[in-house]
Amino acid sequence: MNENKACDRDCLSGIVCKVENCIYNKSGCKCTAEEIKVGPAHACCSSDTVCSTFKPSKH
């Protein structure tokens, strides 16, 4: 199976992620997590937010 084709199906549409060392960012894909969680609730600007779904890859 072409790995890029599988990745296209599994990526969350409209999500751009440039974190190369996250287990959910596969083969240059955007995001393959089932869902993403962004927080914290008290954020005042975009630089205050983080993706709490992030898990580092084991490379």
Side-chain angles (χ1 to χ4, degrees), residues 2-59:
N2 182 329
E3 193 170 330
N4 289 333
K5 292 275 186 201
C7 189
D8 289 343
R9 284 194 313 271
D10 297 337
C11 290
L12 293 174
S13 178
I15 303 299
V16 176
C17 179
K18 297 182 180 181
V19 182
E20 294 177 3
N21 66 325
C22 180
I23 64 169
Y24 298 114
N25 191 342
K26 308 266 187 190
S27 303
C29 194
K30 294 176 182 167
C31 183
T32 60
E34 189 170 309
E35 66 180 0
I36 60 169
K37 297 175 187 169
V38 178
H42 64 274
C44 295
C45 59
S46 62
S47 62
D48 292 340
T49 62
V50 295
C51 176
S52 59
T53 306
F54 169 79
K55 288 186 182 174
S57 59
K58 296 178 183 183
H59 288 98

